[in-house]
Structures are given as structure tokens and as C-alpha cells.
């Protein structure tokens, strides 16, 4: 495979029309960050408008959840295939096409007259997001010289990690001050700005491969991701014994096994050479991202009911309360390359994971109804710092493990682990909180009417809604629900802290090497697996 992109060491021998100077590199970074922000904001933005959509479209709760979730499902399923196509067809044209389609899909969603049209628009938005997201990171790894790449990846990971919370805040603000349909103004505006800057400043790069595109691998990867994420999304809502999550899980596992077998057979012609998972950087980075993003998503699932149902805050104020974690995460993501360069990638990763565990343990230890927001703030700040320290070196380890001509695939793999981790965290931590809540609540319902008690067991939001019908037991029910929710939260946080402690041991023992990377690219952090694909760099044209 020969490439038309910069080598991993310097920008001087780039496969682009010219070598970007420092000012242009900043413009490129802003352009891809805006594009990424548009994609990330659209993941969480619609969550604040579920009630409005249900009323406007006269839609059931299941339909509204599909409107919200189908975007993530399509995005995750198409990341690997479209990332690989971006490597072959050219990263700039794929990014431009993705931004055009994304803006059009967001505009169609804003004007959608029915739930069916909205779902179709969200499918198109998810597909275009899968064209954008891996390319944004691939542009950084294929354009920025070695000495600037770590900082740029830090900015990218900060936007990827904190952008969802920032997007939710801006969306909630738009819903509060205007109509819910105006929340699509945010992704449309971001995509438009990114498009203009991309056309003007982002250089093109692509890879030439002697092998045909791995269509079978692309289909199998899409089926595997779709099945597994569908199971994680639908399991908590329908119950894990329901046919839909069971079918999704079965299909996902079978497709994943078939994908691995097929990719081993294709070897250097594969969509993703699975042998590279023997590479300590790739394996450790992927595992870290799955668990860290799972923690982030799971904590968000817990925090919003705490703010709204326990503390009685509005949706906008609840989102504001999440901002300290997002801001600290974005700041430490940008700073993470410094300790990674001084003490090594493994040590930085281990420190981030340990700090994340401390944040979870802090919330498990100190959260209380009486303590309110201050009882969780220290834990939120520790979580943000720990996740920021973890995400940047993990992302850099993944992209460094694949050949320069497969940076779209490397970026897509990085994104798939994030999406899978998010779905896993919501499902697992959400289930732990729900189980702990019901168990604690059962001991506090003496005298509460049976029907009201059964409603309260469904969740704290149902308990708050049912309390007025409990008569003289209303205050008892509210207090019981709030205390029980906090107990369920504490149990979930301690489980999360234990998982992070186990991850700390894995990283400490088998994480990426601390030795500085050799110049020259993939696999240089520990050299355990040679780069495949026989990448041959070409000079600038």
C-alpha cells in the first residue's frame, strides 16, 4: 500500500499539495473540532426534547427513544466501513460530503412533520456522522507533525469527551428560550462553519492499496456493532429476556466471531487486521476507552435523575451542574501529552484511571440527599481530570498502532470503542442503580398504597409523579424514593470504582510501554507487533 499523506514523523514529506504552517495547522484543528462537535452534540442534544417530540408527533415513548437512539446506532455501525473508504477515496472529499449531508439531515429533522420523517432524517444524520467522525481524527494524524500531534489529539479528545455535555447544555438553553426545533440550529451552524474552513484549509490525503475493498468485513463489522449496541440500548428498556435484545445480542456475537475469522483470513487485505490487538498500545488503549466512556455515560445517567428528581432542579440547571466535569475533562485532555512525554504513556494512563476510580469512590462515599450538589462536586472534578488524562494517550496509542495509510480505520476503531463503551455504561450502571433503588425502596414502603408503591418501584421519576396520589403517605414516598436512589447510586459507584481498579492493574502490568516512541510510526511505542499493510510513504507533490 502506498500513501499520499504525511509520514508519521514530519510534515515535510507529506502526500498533500503543501506543508501546512503553524497558522494553517491551527485552522485545520479548529475545522475538525467544529465538525466533531457537531456530531457529538447531536448524540445527546435530542435527549432534552423527548417530551416535546412525544407531544408534537403524538408519538409513543418507544418511538421517541428510536428517534434519539437510531442516530447512535447508525453512526456506530458505519464507522469502520466509512473510515476505511475515507482512507481510499481521500479524506477531504469524504469530510466535505459528510458535512453537506449532515447539515441537510439536521435541517430536515428540524422541519420534520412526523415521527417517521424524523427517524429517516436521523438515519441520514447518523450515516453522515460516520463519514465525519473518523476523518476528523485521521486528518490530525496524517497532517500534524510529530511534535504537534499529541497536543492536537488532546484537543480532539477533549471535544469528543466533553462535547456531549456542552452540546446538551446549549440544546437545553435553546429549548428553554425558543422552540425545541431550534436545537438543530446548533449542529447546522457548526457543520456550516466546519465546511467553509475545511474547503479552505484542510489538505487532502489518501492511501493507495493493491487490495480490493473488504466488503464482507465491512458488512460483518456493521452487523456486529449494530447487534451489540441494539442489545445494550434495548435491554434496560424492554428487559434482558425480551426477544429484541436477545436477538441483537445473538446476531452481534455471531457477526463479531465471523468478522474475526474473516479478517484473519484476509490478513493484509483486511478491513481491520485483528492481529494488531496483540499490540499492547492498541489493546490497552481500546480497553481504556471502552471503560472510561462507559463510566462517563453511566454517571450521566445517574446524575440527571439526582439533580432533577432528588434536588428538584430544571433540565437546564442540571446540565449546568455537569459542566465542571466537562470543562476539567477538556482541559486535562489538552494537557495530557505533557505528562505522557515526561513520565510515559503507561504511567499517564494509569494515573488517569486511578483518578477516575477515586472520583467514583468519592461519589459512592459522600453523595447524600442532604449534602446535595456539594456532596458530588469533588467526585465530578476528579472524574473529569481522570478521564481527560486517560483519553488522550489511549487515542494516540490506538492511532499509532495502525499503519499511516489506515488512519481512517484507526480513527474509526477509536470511535467504535467510545460508542460501545457509552452504550455499555448506560446499560450496566443504569441497571445497577435501578436494582439497588428497588431493593432499598421495598424496605421503606410500609403503609403506601399498593398501586402507588408498584409505580414507585419503576424508578424515581415515577415515584415523584405518583407521590401526589399517595395521600398522607406522599412525603414518606418522596423521602423513601430519594434515599433509595442515593443508595442505588452508591452501590453502582463502588462497582464502577472496582472496575477502574481492575483496569489500573491491567494498564500497570500490560499497558503501553513508557519508553518514548521511536520516530517512524505505527507500533513504535513497544514494537510488539509490526505494522501491516506495507505502507510506503511518498514525497509531497
Amino acid at each position: 500500500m502506498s500513501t499520499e499523506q504525511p509520514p508519521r514523523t514530519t510534515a515535510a514529506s507529506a502526500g498533500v499539495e503543501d506543508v501546512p504552517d503553524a497558522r494553517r495547522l491551527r485552522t485545520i484543528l479548529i475545522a475538525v473540532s467544529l465538525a466533531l462537535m457537531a456530531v457529538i452534540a447531536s448524540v445527546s442534544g435530542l435527549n432534552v426534547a423527548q417530551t416535546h417530540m412525544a407531544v408534537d408527533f403524538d408519538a409513543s415513548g418507544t418511538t421517541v427513544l428510536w428517534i434519539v437512539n437510531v442516530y447512535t446506532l447508525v453512526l456506530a455501525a458505519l464507522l469502520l466501513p466509512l473510515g476505511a473508504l475515507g482512507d481510499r477515496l481521500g479524506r477531504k472529499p469524504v469530510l466535505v460530503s459528510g458535512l453537506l449531508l449532515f447539515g441537510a439531515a439536521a435541517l430536515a429533522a428540524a422541519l420534520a412533520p412526523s415521527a417517521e420523517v424524523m427517524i429517516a432524517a436521523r438515519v441520514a444524520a447518523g450515516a453522515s456522522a460516520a463519514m465525519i467522525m473518523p476523518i476528523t481524527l485521521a486528518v490530525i494524524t496524517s497532517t500534524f507533525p510529530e511534535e504537534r500531534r499529541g497536543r492536537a489529539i488532546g484537543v480532539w479528545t477533549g471535544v469528543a469527551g466533553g462535547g456531549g455535555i456542552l452540546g446538551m447544555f446549549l440544546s437545553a438553553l435553546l429549548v428553554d428560550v425558543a422552540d425545541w426545533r431550534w436545537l438543530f440550529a446548533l449542529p447546522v451552524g457548526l457543520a456550516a462553519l466546519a465546511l467553509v474552513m475545511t474547503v479552505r484549509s484542510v489538505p487532502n490525503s489518501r492511501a493507495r492499496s493493491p487490495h480490493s475493498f473488504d466488503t464482507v468485513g465491512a458488512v460483518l463489522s456493521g452487523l456486529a456493532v449494530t447487534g451489540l449496541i441494539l442489545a445494550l440500548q434495548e435491554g434496560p428498556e424492554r428487559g434482558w429476556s425480551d426477544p429484541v435484545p436477545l436477538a441483537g445480542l445473538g446476531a452481534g456475537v455471531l457477526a463479531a466471531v465471523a468478522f474475526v475469522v474473516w479478517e484473519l483470513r484476509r490478513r493484509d487485505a483486511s478491513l481491520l487486521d485483528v492481529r494488531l490487538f496483540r499490540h499492547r498500545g492498541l489493546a490497552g488503549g481500546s480497553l481504556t476507552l471502552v471503560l472510561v466512556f462507559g463510566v462517563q455515560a453511566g454517571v450521566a445517567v445517574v446524575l440527571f435523575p439526582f439533580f432533577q428528581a432528588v434536588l428538584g432542579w430544571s433540565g437546564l440547571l442540571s446540565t449546568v451542574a455537569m459542566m465542571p466535569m466537562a470543562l476539567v475533562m477538556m482541559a486535562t485532555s489538552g494537557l495530557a501529552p505533557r505528562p505522557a512525554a515526561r513520565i510515559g504513556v503507561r504511567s499517564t494512563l494509569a494515573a488517569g484511571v486511578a483518578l477516575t476510580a477515586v472520583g467514583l469512590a468519592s461519589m459512592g462515599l459522600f453523595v447524600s440527599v442532604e449534602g446535595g450538589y456539594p456532596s458530588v462536586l469533588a467526585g465530578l472534578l476528579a472524574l473529569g481530570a481522570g478521564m481527560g488524562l486517560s483519553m488522550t494517550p489511549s487515542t494516540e496509542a490506538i492511532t499509532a498502532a495502525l499503519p499511516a495509510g489506515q488512519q481512517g480505520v484507526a480513527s474509526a476503531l477509536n470511535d467504535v470503542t467510545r460508542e460501545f463503551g457509552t452504550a455499555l455504561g448506560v446499560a450496566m450502571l443504569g441497571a445497577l442503580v435501578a436494582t439497588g433503588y428497588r431493593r432499598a425502596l421495598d424496605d421503606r414502603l410500609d403503609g403506601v398504597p399498593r398501586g402507588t408503591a408498584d409505580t414507585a418501584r419503576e424508578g424515581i421519576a415515577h415515584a415523584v409523579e405518583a407521590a401526589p396520589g399517595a395521600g398522607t403517605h406522599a412525603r414518606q414516598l418522596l423521602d423513601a424514593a430519594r434515599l433509595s436512589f442515593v443508595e442505588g447510586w452508591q452501590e453502582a459507584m463502588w462497582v464502577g470504582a472496582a472496575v477502574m481498579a481492575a483496569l489500573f492493574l491491567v494498564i500497570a502490568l500490560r499497558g503501553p510501554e513508557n519508553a518514548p516512541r521511536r520516530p517512524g510510526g505505527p507500533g513504535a511505542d513497544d514494537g510488539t507487533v509490526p505494522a501491516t499493510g506495507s505502507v510506503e510513504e511518498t514525497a509531497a507533490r
Side-chain angles (χ1 to χ4, degrees):
M1 181 187 293
S2 62
T3 67
E4 294 180 343
Q5 64 178 46
R8 304 297 300 277
T9 52
T10 69
S13 55
V16 294
E17 63 274 13
D18 56 68
V19 179
D21 58 19
R23 182 177 180 180
R24 188 178 174 195
L25 286 174
R26 286 194 295 270
T27 304
I28 293 169
L29 182 58
I30 293 171
V32 297
S33 296
L34 288 172
L36 178 64
M37 181 65 189
V39 170
I40 297 296
S42 294
V43 173
S44 56
L46 271 187
N47 284 317
V48 302
Q50 291 190 39
T51 303
H52 302 279
M53 290 188 295
V55 173
D56 279 12
F57 295 143
D58 190 24
S60 66
T62 300
T63 300
V64 171
L65 284 176
W66 268 106
I67 292 174
V68 174
N69 291 336
V70 72
Y71 173 87
T72 306
L73 192 64
V74 174
L75 165 63
L78 296 180
L79 278 169
L80 273 175
L82 293 182
L85 283 175
D87 285 334
R88 288 169 174 260
L89 301 179
R91 294 171 184 127
K92 181 174 181 174
V94 171
L95 180 56
V96 168
S97 300
L99 287 168
L100 286 169
L101 178 57
F102 183 85
L107 189 60
L111 302 174
S114 65
E116 291 76 16
V117 174
M118 175 65 86
I119 290 174
R122 294 285 285 174
V123 168
S128 57
M131 300 170 68
I132 296 169
M133 196 172 183
I135 299 303
T136 56
L137 182 56
V139 165
I140 291 174
T141 57
S142 64
T143 303
F144 280 69
E146 181 75 23
E147 65 272 14
R148 294 177 179 267
R149 192 178 306 133
R151 181 69 62 85
I153 290 176
V155 172
W156 188 93
T157 56
V159 174
I165 297 172
L166 183 59
M168 185 177 292
F169 164 71
L170 295 174
S171 298
L173 182 61
L174 286 169
V175 170
D176 273 14
V177 302
D179 186 80
W180 70 270
R181 292 178 183 271
W182 278 98
L183 64 84
F184 290 102
L186 177 63
V188 169
L190 291 171
L193 284 173
L195 178 62
V196 172
M197 297 179 73
T198 297
V199 170
R200 290 182 176 179
S201 301
V202 173
N204 189 28
S205 61
R206 66 186 180 92
R208 290 177 178 169
S209 173
H211 307 291
S212 60
F213 182 72
D214 186 6
T215 304
V216 174
V219 172
L220 289 174
S221 71
L223 290 175
V225 172
T226 300
L228 294 174
I229 291 187
L230 179 65
L232 291 171
Q233 286 181 347
E234 295 294 319
E237 183 70 21
R238 295 172 177 265
W240 293 102
S241 60
D242 185 88
V244 172
L246 284 178
L249 181 62
V253 170
L254 287 175
V257 172
F259 175 76
V260 171
V261 172
W262 175 259
E263 298 303 278
L264 287 173
R265 178 182 175 186
R266 292 270 298 187
R267 298 179 71 83
D268 290 354
S270 61
L271 182 75
L272 172 65
D273 189 347
V274 295
R275 294 173 298 169
L276 286 173
F277 279 97
R278 292 178 294 174
H279 188 290
R280 291 167 63 173
L282 181 62
S286 299
L287 179 62
T288 299
L289 286 182
V290 167
L291 296 180
V292 166
F293 270 82
V295 164
Q296 181 192 22
V299 167
V301 166
V302 175
L303 280 172
F304 279 102
F306 178 74
F307 293 146
Q308 294 178 298
V310 176
L311 303 184
W313 291 1
S314 67
L316 181 59
L317 184 57
S318 300
T319 308
V320 172
M322 292 282 289
M323 291 301 292
M325 181 178 75
L327 294 176
V328 170
M329 184 193 312
M330 295 174 79
T332 51
S333 293
L335 296 174
R338 294 182 182 179
R342 291 176 182 174
I343 64 174
V345 173
R346 185 197 296 182
S347 298
T348 304
L349 264 180
V353 170
L355 198 51
T356 302
V358 168
L360 291 168
S362 173
M363 287 195 291
L365 189 62
F366 296 115
V367 63
S368 67
V369 177
E370 299 80 11
Y373 186 58
S375 69
V376 301
L377 181 57
L380 284 178
L381 295 176
L383 273 176
M387 289 187 286
L389 281 177
S390 304
M391 290 188 300
T392 299
S394 296
T395 297
E396 199 168 4
I398 292 172
T399 57
L402 269 74
Q406 295 181 4
Q407 284 305 291
V409 174
S411 304
L413 175 62
N414 176 79
D415 298 333
V416 169
T417 60
R418 292 167 182 264
E419 296 299 330
F420 182 72
T422 297
L424 183 64
V426 170
M428 296 298 101
L429 286 182
L432 287 169
V433 172
T435 301
Y437 165 80
R438 283 192 294 269
R439 183 170 56 248
L441 185 66
D442 285 339
D443 297 331
R444 296 188 171 104
L445 293 178
D446 290 342
V448 176
R450 182 173 180 178
T452 303
D454 289 341
T455 300
R457 289 188 182 95
E458 296 178 18
I460 188 170
H462 294 86
V464 172
E465 187 176 344
T472 57
H473 295 285
R475 173 51 55 186
Q476 174 194 351
L477 179 59
L478 283 174
D479 290 343
R482 288 165 178 161
L483 290 170
S484 300
F485 180 81
V486 167
E487 287 189 22
W489 179 354
Q490 290 173 321
E491 292 179 13
M493 292 304 97
W494 284 115
V495 171
V499 171
M500 287 295 108
L503 176 61
F504 173 83
L505 293 177
V506 171
I507 295 301
L509 297 174
R510 292 292 301 169
E513 292 292 341
N514 271 329
R517 243 182 262 153
R518 299 189 308 270
D525 61 339
D526 61 18
T528 54
V529 176
T532 61
S534 170
V535 176
E536 186 180 312
E537 301 294 346
T538 58
R541 300 187 226 333

